[in-house]
């Protein structure tokens, strides 16, 4: 298959250890699971989703669906940690998890594995890790939904009872190849080219001059927005300005960066799930479809209302949720790239993971965010901010290079971000009147002044 933009991005990181670049989940089972049943379920998942059979062909420089993997058994190792005390258990669990994350060979092995940990006589955790080239956030939703269904339906001896598959990875690569030469994409050039020219010049303050960018130096700070604030964010913040959760988080991030740098203009690398293009259905396709693209965010100097409107409109002006940027950069090769092409800051809102990861079978155990990538690989961004809603609270996690920032700096930054998130939530949730903006009427050529006069 012709590499997709995100696959090009991965290959052009020139990783020291490309075999170890994972995403993982750790699930707490409510009752002791049937390991053989789980093995059967994973085997059915690998058969059903062609994306789980992806491998790398070094000689041809591309990924391919390796159907040889269909004939290989799927084994879930059982690790008994029930003899460990509470403190020893967490240490041993992390040690085992890291060991199992690092065992892939992207050229020949099945790139998803599961390990069952017996933590006590009644407590079991299932660790699932997959190489990132197989999965993204949407893929995890699909896989966990399918795993739950297959495990709970005793009659499911094959994958025919699973929901219909959508487009294959081959369909997607062919679609992108055609789309990359269409006039609709070419019209986006005037949007992306100025941002690309500015992107490499954008920097953030640092505590120390970096020399070593390996993941060996990565540290993480994290915090949460409590359940009450998160519920308001989810349910009471959309009406006043027709905003979404990610809009409000980016407004808060802009205000935080303003407090930190004194500037009003920033270039943030954003991630979207990359499945937005019309003409192809990827809703049930497992794979890595992420779109990475730079977002030029300008914070208005005026009051909060103007900031909400201004940044909302900037977000809405991004063409096709950023998919075109990767096509220009990696497929059409219109801009250069180098190994040191490291972004200053990356932001990703992963959405809500309540139903998929918390059900009658299992719940999410929050213990696997670190050590997903080989410590010998280099970081691709200075600050990596990930937000998601799990167990009814918003989690904010900031990964950084300890050779660049002191932990105290990042704790202060995280606290400031959460304070600004609360300020934005409070502002938009207390407004009763609706304020429309031009993007609410994308079929009409109107500006904000026209709308303010019309609805005043």
């Amino acid at each position: 298959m012709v590499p997709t933009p995100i696959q090009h991005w991965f290959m052009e990181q020139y990783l020291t250890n490309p075999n170890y670049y994972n995403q993982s989940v750790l699930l707490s089972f409510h009752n002791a699971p049937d390991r053989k049943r789980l093995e059967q379920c994973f085997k059915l998942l690998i058969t059903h989703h062609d994306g789980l059979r992806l491998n790398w062909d070094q000689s041809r420089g591309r990924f391919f669906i390796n159907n040889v993997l269909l004939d290989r058994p799927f084994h879930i190792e059982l690790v008994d940690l029930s003899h460990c005390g509470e403190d020893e258990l967490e240490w041993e669990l992390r040690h085992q998890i890291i060991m199992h994350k690092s065992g892939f060979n992207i050229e020949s092995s099945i790139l998803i594995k599961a390990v069952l940990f017996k933590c006590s006589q009644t407590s079991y955790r299932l660790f699932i890790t997959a190489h990132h080239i197989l999965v993204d956030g949407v893929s995890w939703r699909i896989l966990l939904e399918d795993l739950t269904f297959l495990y709970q339906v005793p009659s499911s001896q094959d994958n025919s009872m699973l929901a219909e598959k959508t487009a294959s990875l081959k369909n997607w690569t062919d679609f992108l190849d055609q789309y990359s030469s269409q006039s609709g994409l070419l019209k986006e050039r005037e949007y992306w080219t100025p941002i690309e020219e500015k992107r490499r010049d954008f920097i953030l303050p640092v505590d120390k001059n970096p020399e070593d960018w390996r993941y060996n130096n990565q540290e993480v700070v994290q915090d949460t927005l409590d359940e009450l604030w998160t519920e308001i964010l989810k349910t009471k913040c959309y009406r006043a300005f027709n905003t979404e959760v990610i809009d409000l988080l980016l407004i808060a991030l802009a205000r935080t960066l303003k407090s930190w740098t004194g500037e009003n203009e920033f270039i943030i690398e954003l991630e979207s799930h990359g499945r937005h293009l019309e003409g192809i259905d990827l809703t049930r396709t497992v794979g890595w479809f992420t779109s990475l693209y730079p977002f030029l965010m300008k914070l208005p100097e005026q009051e909060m209302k103007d900031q909400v409107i201004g940044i909302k409109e900037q977000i809405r002006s991004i063409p096709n949720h950023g998919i075109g940027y990767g096509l220009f950069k990696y497929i059409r090769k219109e801009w250069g790239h180098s190994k040191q092409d490291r972004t200053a800051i990356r932001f990703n809102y992963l959405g809500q993971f309540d139903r998929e990861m918390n059900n009658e079978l299992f719940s999410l155990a929050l213990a696997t965010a670190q050590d997903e990538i080989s410590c010998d690989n280099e970081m691709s961004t200075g600050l990596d901010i990930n937000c998601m809603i799990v167990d009814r609270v918003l989690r904010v996690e900031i990964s950084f290079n300890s050779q660049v920032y002191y932990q105290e700096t990042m704790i202060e930054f995280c606290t400031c971000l959460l304070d600004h998130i609360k300020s934005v939530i409070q502002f938009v949730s207390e407004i009763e009147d609706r304020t429309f903006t031009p993007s609410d009427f994308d079929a009409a050529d109107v500006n904000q002044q026209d709308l303010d006069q019309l609805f005043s």
Side-chain angles (χ1 to χ4, degrees):
M1 296 183 295
V2 177
T4 64
I6 195 61
Q7 290 173 344
H8 273 288
W9 177 89
F10 174 77
M11 292 184 290
E12 293 186 15
Q13 298 306 302
Y14 305 103
L15 300 174
T16 301
N17 184 1
N19 295 300
Y20 186 179
Y21 200 94
N22 297 8
Q23 284 193 328
S24 310
V25 295
L26 184 64
L27 307 173
S28 293
F29 271 71
H30 303 315
N31 297 292
D34 182 336
R35 181 159 61 104
K36 294 299 181 183
R37 179 71 182 144
L38 284 172
E39 289 176 342
Q40 180 186 37
C41 291
F42 275 95
K43 184 67 176 174
L44 293 173
L45 290 176
I46 293 169
T47 302
H48 186 71
H49 296 290
D50 61 334
L52 296 181
R53 305 192 298 276
L54 202 65
N55 277 144
W56 168 251
D57 186 337
Q58 179 68 36
S59 62
R60 301 177 64 197
R62 60 183 56 190
F63 293 95
F64 69 103
I65 303 301
N66 187 0
N67 288 325
V68 171
L69 302 180
L70 288 170
D71 298 326
R72 296 187 186 172
F74 190 91
H75 174 66
I76 297 178
E77 180 181 351
L78 175 62
V79 179
D80 190 350
L81 302 179
S82 60
H83 60 280
C84 297
E86 185 175 346
D87 292 338
E88 184 186 3
L89 173 64
E90 294 306 316
W91 183 92
E92 184 62 31
L93 189 63
R94 179 175 178 180
H95 171 74
Q96 289 283 339
I97 284 173
I98 294 174
M99 181 177 66
H100 284 91
K101 284 180 180 179
S102 59
F104 290 134
N105 182 331
I106 61 171
E107 296 186 45
S108 60
S109 65
I110 297 174
L111 298 180
I112 183 170
K113 68 171 65 172
V115 182
L116 185 61
F117 294 103
K118 181 180 180 180
C119 300
S120 71
Q121 295 304 315
T122 58
S123 174
Y124 288 81
R125 296 185 187 182
L126 181 68
F127 172 66
I128 310 171
T129 189
H131 198 288
H132 204 340
I133 64 169
L134 265 61
V135 293
D136 55 18
V138 176
S139 298
W140 281 114
R141 296 175 190 269
I142 298 167
L143 291 175
L144 292 176
E145 285 178 356
D146 286 356
L147 176 64
T148 302
F149 174 80
L150 289 171
Y151 188 87
Q152 292 181 323
V153 180
S155 61
S156 56
Q157 301 300 316
D158 58 51
N159 57 19
S160 61
M161 298 182 68
L162 289 173
E164 289 285 333
K165 291 190 292 186
T166 49
S168 68
L169 295 183
K170 181 65 166 59
N171 296 150
W172 173 240
T173 58
D174 291 345
F175 185 87
L176 284 182
D177 187 52
Q178 296 175 12
Y179 182 78
S180 64
S181 60
Q182 292 180 4
S183 59
L185 174 68
L186 301 183
K187 292 177 181 178
E188 296 181 16
R189 183 183 284 112
E190 62 184 37
Y191 176 88
W192 291 116
T193 299
I195 296 176
E196 175 65 12
E197 292 172 351
K198 288 185 176 182
R199 180 183 63 83
R200 297 188 186 186
D201 296 328
F202 176 70
I203 59 174
L204 288 173
V206 297
D207 294 328
K208 297 175 280 185
N209 292 321
E211 295 182 359
D212 187 352
W213 280 95
R214 292 177 302 156
Y215 273 94
N216 185 56
N217 300 308
Q218 185 190 61
E219 292 187 12
V220 177
V221 298
Q222 57 186 8
D223 206 342
T224 59
L225 195 66
D226 68 34
E227 192 171 330
L228 177 59
W229 280 107
T230 303
E231 182 64 20
I232 298 172
L233 173 65
K234 288 164 39 179
T235 62
K236 298 183 179 180
C237 287
Y238 62 89
R239 184 181 183 280
F241 297 95
N242 193 27
T243 49
E244 301 175 2
V245 171
I246 189 172
D247 302 330
L248 305 184
L249 296 179
L250 284 172
I251 294 163
L253 178 59
R255 291 167 61 87
T256 304
L257 291 172
K258 165 69 173 179
S259 300
W260 189 24
T261 67
E263 302 294 330
N264 289 80
E265 185 173 302
F266 320 99
I267 294 185
I268 317 293
E269 186 172 60
L270 294 183
E271 294 188 41
S272 71
H273 59 61
R275 302 170 185 242
H276 301 92
L277 287 181
E278 294 183 4
I280 187 166
D281 182 8
L282 300 168
T283 54
R284 286 268 312 153
T285 305
V286 170
W288 189 11
F289 296 93
T290 300
S291 290
L292 284 175
Y293 58 93
F295 171 48
L296 177 59
M297 183 163 57
K298 300 179 181 180
L299 182 69
E301 290 278 11
Q302 301 94 324
E303 59 186 21
M304 177 91 76
K305 177 180 178 180
D306 300 297
Q307 294 176 351
V308 172
I309 293 173
I311 292 182
K312 171 195 167 183
E313 291 304 289
Q314 293 168 37
I315 295 170
R316 297 296 185 276
S317 70
I318 300 171
N320 280 318
H321 302 273
I323 291 176
Y325 175 80
L327 294 173
F328 278 113
K329 187 175 182 70
Y330 297 110
I331 306 301
R332 297 182 60 85
K333 301 186 182 302
E334 300 207 2
W335 308 304
H337 176 82
S338 69
K339 183 178 180 180
Q340 301 303 321
D341 195 11
R342 185 178 292 108
T343 58
I345 181 170
R346 178 182 299 146
F347 178 87
N348 187 18
Y349 172 60
L350 293 161
Q352 302 182 44
F353 287 85
D354 287 329
R355 181 174 57 85
E356 299 90 345
M357 294 190 178
N358 296 280
N359 55 42
E360 60 274 18
L361 186 62
F362 52 69
S363 59
L364 179 67
L366 303 175
T368 62
Q370 293 180 263
D371 306 306
E372 293 280 47
I373 300 172
S374 170
C375 63
D376 294 322
N377 291 331
E378 288 197 0
M379 304 176 196
S380 58
T381 186
L383 290 181
D384 196 355
I385 303 175
N386 287 282
C387 299
M388 64 188 298
I389 296 175
V390 179
D391 286 338
R392 298 180 295 279
V393 300
L394 176 74
R395 296 181 62 228
V396 176
E397 182 179 275
I398 303 175
S399 303
F400 63 96
N401 186 347
S402 61
Q403 298 295 305
V404 180
Y405 295 108
Y406 297 119
Q407 187 179 57
E408 294 78 7
T409 302
M410 291 296 96
I411 291 174
E412 182 179 351
F413 182 89
C414 187
T415 300
C416 184
L417 176 58
L418 280 169
D419 287 342
H420 279 298
I421 290 174
K422 291 176 184 177
S423 297
V424 174
I425 291 173
Q426 183 172 5
F427 174 76
V428 298
S429 65
E430 291 179 351
I431 294 179
E432 296 183 1
D433 296 332
R434 299 193 67 176
T435 298
F436 294 98
T437 65
S439 64
D440 297 323
F441 305 92
D442 53 5
D445 184 16
V446 294
N447 58 36
Q448 192 61 48
Q449 184 177 4
D450 295 333
L451 293 175
D452 290 342
Q453 292 176 350
L454 180 62
F455 291 103
S456 62

